[in-house]
Amino acid sequence: MAFYYDEPSHTFSEYLLIPGYTGPDCLPSNVSLKTPLVKFAKGEKPSLTLNIPLVSAIMQAVSGDRLAIALAREGGLSFIYGNQTIESEAAMVRAVKTHKAGFVSSDSNLTPDNTLEDVLELKDRTKHSTVAITDDGTPNGLLLGMVTSSDYSLERIASGAKVSSFMTPISKLVTAQEGITLQEAYDRIWEHKLNTLPVVDKDGHFVAFVFRKDYDQHKENPLELLDAQHRFLVGAGINTKDYEERIPALVEAGADILCIDSSEGYTEWQKRTIAFVRAKYGDSVKIGAGNVVDKDGFLFLAEAGADFVKIGIGGGSICITRETKGIGRGQATAVIEIAQARDEYYKKTGIYIPICSDGGIVHDYHITLALAMGADFCMLGRYFARFDEAPSEIIQINGSYMKEYWGEGSARAQNVARYGQSSKKKLSFVEGVDSYVPYAGPLHHTLEITLAKIRHTMCNCGVLTIPDLQKNAKLTLVSSVSLVEGGAHDVLVKDSLNHPQTM
């Protein structure tokens, strides 16, 4: 006989948090949103930690390199979508790792014999205006000079003019020796009033640039998620089909963590994928797995060696798996059960495996509920798809600006590798829809508001950290009538701009 659960599964909207004692130190400015990204042993610290508990979904309409840079700047992490060629995904990962922070390897390099036309073509291709001039045109050749937009004028210099005639030669550049610390480099930039500081090795070969603007951006974004070389952290999505070729390319490109992108994670295929990583790289390469919705699924992936486990089936706004296949579970119930399994596993083994709530987030407060229920961080798709930095197009519909947003199980995505319905290159049936979401401008401002709500709610609960929220939160189920009571009711609302909206 089939197994039946005693209670129905619940969504986040069916729960509310009960306030706790708010002490004098419980201020939003004192709240830490740091949370582990990968598993760790008791008494140790995780090798990767998020500064905010948010990651972006492994979706074509969400997680390209632009969003990965913007989200890492805020303290979160993107998983570059895997439904593309290995080469293009690796290129996106590489673009994030070389974009920023501290010592930047140059992707814009020419020789003195190149022309202004070459400079302009390179600038158009890379979107970078600073060009290193080396003896062989490579990023590690002998540094001979530098070209920036202030070195030439299209009205005064012919397009065929050689770079050597207008570049700033090495004799007039302030440079730094390899081994200088980032703070020392910034001190030199300020001392000499520079915008760019080239770094060279003892033989004069070019190593990297340090940019003044990066220092300014870091001051404005103190939660930036950076690696030991002060580069942005970035994740990458993989599948259980071509992982033997895709994973090495992504690791070589610099991906800090991988995640298996699948509609259902309780499978032999995920176990084999994780085993490949462990056999080839040991624990040096981090990999998340999922999705699962119960204790059995979590324990399977934990024993398989996953560094984190992703929770949720059918709860995404563009996902129709539940109505197509009758598979899934209410997101709140899934998180609660798996959080309990995670804690039991930790007590038994001394290994803490973070869990990620993926799907079912409609309002900002749902994020806080997911964390209170035990999630270490949340994966969001629709939320991030609305922003400038997401890859999809901005279009106008009935006078309103919207962005395209489609599911990986939709006919548009044709992500056969994720859903594994057949060996053909076309889905047998769809599990996602093609849709639009309201355009929300640049990421920073809206995300700032979302994080402020989380911090304020945590203070209302009397906690300053996510682990304390998970330990001390009090939650209550609500009735359908109390849901009506909780919003504006029995009045005509004047200003809809001040009324809470679905994010």
Side-chain angles (χ1 to χ4, degrees):
M1 180 178 176
F3 175 81
Y4 291 87
Y5 285 90
D6 294 332
E7 294 185 1
S9 60
H10 298 285
T11 67
F12 293 129
S13 290
E14 295 176 79
Y15 286 89
L16 287 174
L17 286 157
I18 302 298
Y21 168 68
T22 302
D25 295 330
C26 206
L27 303 171
S29 58
N30 291 337
V31 170
S32 169
L33 295 179
K34 280 183 173 291
T35 191
L37 177 59
V38 296
K39 67 183 178 183
F40 59 95
K42 187 175 183 179
E44 298 179 355
K45 292 184 178 181
S47 58
L48 293 176
T49 301
L50 296 168
N51 289 331
I52 63 172
L54 301 178
V55 299
S56 66
I58 310 169
M59 301 175 69
Q60 299 169 65
V62 180
S63 295
D65 51 348
R66 284 187 64 208
L67 186 85
I69 291 166
L71 184 52
R73 184 167 286 140
E74 304 292 337
L77 182 97
S78 286
F79 286 93
I80 301 295
Y81 69 92
N83 192 19
Q84 57 180 317
T85 66
I86 295 172
E87 294 74 20
S88 59
E89 185 179 9
M92 283 191 176
V93 169
R94 197 172 289 111
V96 179
K97 298 305 292 186
T98 60
H99 175 81
K100 158 85 176 96
F103 302 97
V104 181
S105 299
S106 176
D107 63 354
S108 299
N109 311 283
L110 295 172
T111 71
D113 290 329
N114 284 108
T115 65
L116 177 58
E117 186 176 3
D118 295 326
V119 173
L120 298 176
E121 187 277 329
L122 187 62
K123 180 180 178 181
D124 182 64
R125 177 159 50 87
T126 65
K127 310 304 180 187
H128 297 154
S129 59
T130 301
V131 181
I133 308 303
T134 61
D135 62 339
D136 57 4
T138 69
N140 299 117
L142 189 68
L143 185 65
L144 302 177
M146 188 171 75
V147 171
T148 69
S149 55
S150 62
D151 287 315
Y152 58 86
S153 168
L154 299 182
E155 288 78 19
R156 294 176 178 271
I157 301 177
S159 62
K162 286 192 174 183
V163 167
S164 58
S165 68
F166 59 86
M167 73 179 189
T168 301
I170 186 70
S171 59
K172 294 184 179 181
L173 289 176
V174 176
T175 63
Q177 287 291 312
E178 186 178 23
I180 191 173
T181 68
L182 189 58
Q183 187 56 56
E184 289 170 342
Y186 285 139
D187 289 342
R188 188 165 299 183
I189 284 174
W190 282 100
E191 178 186 352
H192 295 279
K193 300 180 181 179
L194 306 173
N195 289 320
T196 308
L197 178 69
V199 179
V200 296
D201 67 14
K202 60 183 177 60
D203 298 318
H205 291 91
F206 181 54
V207 174
F209 284 129
V210 179
F211 294 102
R212 181 194 189 108
K213 63 181 177 63
D214 288 344
Y215 175 83
D216 296 335
Q217 288 178 348
H218 181 64
K219 287 297 183 182
E220 294 172 3
N221 300 279
L223 295 178
E224 283 181 327
L225 195 63
L226 307 175
D227 64 17
Q229 286 75 47
H230 292 268
R231 302 172 301 177
F232 285 133
L233 261 63
V234 62
I238 61 170
N239 60 66
T240 58
K241 304 291 184 183
D242 63 5
Y243 59 88
E244 293 186 1
E245 296 79 35
R246 189 174 294 267
I247 289 175
L250 296 174
V251 171
E252 191 277 330
D256 297 284
I257 185 169
L258 308 172
C259 184
I260 303 173
D261 181 31
S262 174
S263 60
E264 208 277 288
Y266 194 178
T267 72
E268 176 65 20
W269 316 119
Q270 295 221 0
K271 182 179 179 180
R272 293 182 185 182
T273 304
I274 297 170
F276 169 81
V277 170
R278 295 292 172 249
K280 187 174 181 65
Y281 302 102
D283 290 329
S284 64
V285 170
K286 306 302 180 183
I287 179 171
N291 288 17
V292 295
V293 292
D294 68 353
K295 176 180 179 179
D296 292 341
F298 168 81
L299 291 176
F300 174 81
L301 293 177
E303 293 298 330
D307 286 293
F308 72 85
V309 173
K310 200 145 60 80
I311 305 165
I313 295 176
S317 60
I318 40 67
C319 184
I320 57 172
T321 294
R322 296 181 192 177
E323 61 184 84
T324 301
K325 295 164 63 177
I327 293 288
R329 197 178 195 187
Q331 189 69 6
T333 299
V335 170
I336 292 168
E337 179 176 319
I338 291 179
Q340 292 172 343
R342 182 267 320 277
D343 292 345
E344 291 170 2
Y345 187 84
Y346 179 54
K347 290 179 181 178
K348 178 181 177 182
T349 66
I351 302 297
Y352 185 94
I353 301 178
I355 55 176
C356 169
S357 178
D358 175 21
I361 303 291
V362 181
H363 302 284
D364 286 341
Y365 81 89
H366 287 171
I367 298 171
T368 318
L369 283 172
L371 298 173
M373 291 171 180
D376 295 283
F377 54 97
C378 295
M379 178 173 278
L380 307 178
R382 180 173 56 92
Y383 179 89
F384 289 116
R386 303 171 300 157
F387 299 125
D388 282 326
E389 295 85 354
S392 64
E393 297 296 323
I394 301 172
I395 60 176
Q396 196 171 30
I397 299 178
N398 297 327
S400 298
Y401 287 102
M402 311 289 284
K403 290 206 75 174
E404 296 179 292
Y405 180 48
W406 60 96
E408 288 300 297
S410 67
R412 177 173 181 171
Q414 286 296 325
N415 195 344
V416 176
R418 184 182 201 274
Y419 288 86
Q421 293 176 8
S422 69
S423 59
K424 299 177 182 178
K425 293 185 178 181
K426 188 174 182 180
L427 293 174
S428 302
F429 56 90
V430 297
E431 295 185 46
V433 298
D434 197 345
S435 65
Y436 304 102
V437 290
Y439 169 61
L443 176 147
H444 174 74
H445 177 66
T446 301
L447 181 58
E448 193 174 41
I449 294 172
T450 297
L451 296 175
K453 290 178 183 178
I454 296 172
R455 292 187 179 101
H456 278 78
T457 304
M458 288 173 64
C459 286
N460 291 147
C461 294
V463 299
L464 293 174
T465 67
I466 291 173
D468 283 345
L469 178 66
Q470 294 169 341
K471 179 181 178 181
N472 300 320
K474 293 185 291 184
L475 297 104
T476 181
L477 274 168
V478 295
S479 68
S480 59
V481 179
S482 64
L483 287 174
V484 175
E485 179 187 67
H489 58 89
D490 302 315
V491 294
L492 181 62
V493 178
K494 289 183 181 180
D495 186 1
S496 61
L497 292 177
N498 292 327
H499 188 64
Q501 298 293 316
T502 298
M503 67 181 186

